[in-house]
């Protein structure tokens, strides 16, 4: 069905807005994941494997990352991934690296790190966050099919509303308003009534 001028203008506005939102969405997800990782690290600080990974991250990866030694930080990250692939510390280091790559516009590199995380981190909350970050990277690259494929992976029910919302953003970027509205409505149905983002999602569902 052809769109009238007002609908076309609203759709173009939504697409332009995503170019700004995309980085903020990724940044918010990154902060949420890092806070979550921090809590897990604190609760599990006595676990031997994780403790060793934390020590290696603190002595090798973090100083190089903070000093801007990208090559050295990547080499240190590879060591962490090889020796301690399933630890929270390694996940945190990988997520930091992916976040830095994304904010620098190195989307392929960010996607590679997030793909590694998705394959090695099976904690439900972490996995759901990583999938949404990976889909956000693909969306920034206009790889819409890849983004939707990532979000089609099953996650725990408490995380599915956010996946549906991001699907709506992807459909909006494609100009598929009907599909976008359906995804936003699915997100609203799964969110609690007191969720603070409901109003924003409702507004997007009317575009």
């Amino acid at each position: 069905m052809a769109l009238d001028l007002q609908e076309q203008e609203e759709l173009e506005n939504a697409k332009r807005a995503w170019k700004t939102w995309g980085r903020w969405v990724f940044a918010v997800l990154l902060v949420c994941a890092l806070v979550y990782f921090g809590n897990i690290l604190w609760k599990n600080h006595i676990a031997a494997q994780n403790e060793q990974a934390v020590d290696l991250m603190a002595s090798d990866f973090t100083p190089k990352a903070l000093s801007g030694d990208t090559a050295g930080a990547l080499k240190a990250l590879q060591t962490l991934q090889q020796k301690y692939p399933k630890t929270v510390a390694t996940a945190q280091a990988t997520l930091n690296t992916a976040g830095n790559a994304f904010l620098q516009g190195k989307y392929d590199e960010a996607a590679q790190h997030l793909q590694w995380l998705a394959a090695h981190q099976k904690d439900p909350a972490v996995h759901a966050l990583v999938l949404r970050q990976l889909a956000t990277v693909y969306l920034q690259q206009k790889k819409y099919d890849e983004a939707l494929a990532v979000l089609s992976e099953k996650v725990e029910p408490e995380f599915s509303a956010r996946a549906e919302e991001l699907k709506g953003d992807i459909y909006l970027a494609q100009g598929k308003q009907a599909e976008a509205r359906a995804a936003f409505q699915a997100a609203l149905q799964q969110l609690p009534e007191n969720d603070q983002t409901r109003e924003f999602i409702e507004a997007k569902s009317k575009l």
Side-chain angles (χ1 to χ4, degrees), residues 32-55 57 61 77 80-81 83-96 116-117 120-123 126 130:
C32 290
L34 290 176
V35 170
Y36 185 80
F37 284 145
N39 288 335
I40 295 177
L41 275 174
W42 176 251
K43 292 177 181 177
N44 298 281
H45 67 282
I46 59 173
Q49 282 280 302
N50 206 55
E51 192 170 279
Q52 292 168 12
V54 169
D55 289 343
M57 182 174 70
F61 170 79
L77 178 63
L80 274 169
Q81 291 175 341
K83 289 187 174 182
Y84 311 106
K86 298 187 183 299
T87 62
V88 177
T90 298
Q92 189 172 22
T94 305
L95 190 65
N96 273 321
W116 186 92
L117 270 175
H120 290 84
Q121 286 293 321
K122 297 305 181 183
D123 176 273
V126 173
V130 168

Side-chain angles (χ1 to χ4, degrees), residues 61-78:
F61 170 79
T62 301
K64 291 174 180 176
L66 291 176
S67 69
D69 181 6
T70 303
L74 286 174
K75 186 175 181 180
L77 178 63
Q78 290 174 354

Side-chain angles (χ1 to χ4, degrees), residues 154-172:
K154 188 175 181 180
V155 295
E156 294 296 317
E158 59 263 39
F159 308 119
S160 59
R162 299 305 174 192
E164 290 294 336
E165 181 188 0
L166 187 49
K167 284 181 186 178
D169 292 329
I170 295 166
Y171 286 129
L172 268 186

